[in-house]
Amino acid sequence: MIIDDNFKYKDLIMQIEVLKCHYTDILTSFSWKDLKKKNDFIQTTKRCVYALNFEDWKKDKIWEYLNGDEELDTLKKFM
């Protein structure tokens, strides 16, 4: 999964639904035997999100959205 660190916040939010689909599809592709690989993928994705050049609270909201803990409407409010 690729998150372009040159994206502006608005650009990322415009594509966040696609990113979330990719993220959840990849997560569900791991078998229960591949927990280490799954955890590595989660950590790598989280590092990519937190490497973005946004305020920390925006990164938090993006990460929460990817994990189903935040609504898209909330992210769009800050565009």
Side-chain angles (χ1 to χ4, degrees):
M1 191 167 121
I2 300 171
I3 299 175
D4 187 346
D5 58 354
N6 291 318
F7 270 151
K8 295 186 181 352
Y9 182 78
K10 181 179 179 179
D11 299 330
L12 182 70
I13 299 309
M14 298 301 286
Q15 304 216 9
I16 194 94
E17 291 177 280
V18 174
L19 288 172
K20 183 176 181 176
C21 283
H22 286 257
Y23 178 68
T24 55
D25 287 349
I26 293 170
L27 283 179
T28 58
S29 72
F30 291 104
S31 75
W32 64 271
K33 295 178 184 178
D34 296 328
L35 289 180
K36 171 139 177 41
K37 290 179 185 177
K38 182 177 181 178
N39 287 335
D40 289 345
F41 171 73
I42 292 168
Q43 290 301 315
T44 300
T45 305
K46 187 173 185 177
R47 273 189 239 108
C48 288
V49 168
Y50 281 88
L52 294 167
N53 194 20
F54 306 148
E55 294 92 341
D56 286 340
W57 64 270
K58 285 183 180 177
K59 296 176 202 177
D60 292 339
K61 294 296 179 193
I62 291 166
W63 183 245
E64 290 168 6
Y65 175 75
L66 289 177
N67 288 286
D69 299 325
E70 190 58 77
E71 297 294 323
L72 181 58
D73 290 340
T74 303
L75 297 175
K76 287 182 175 182
K77 287 180 189 177
F78 306 112
M79 285 185 8

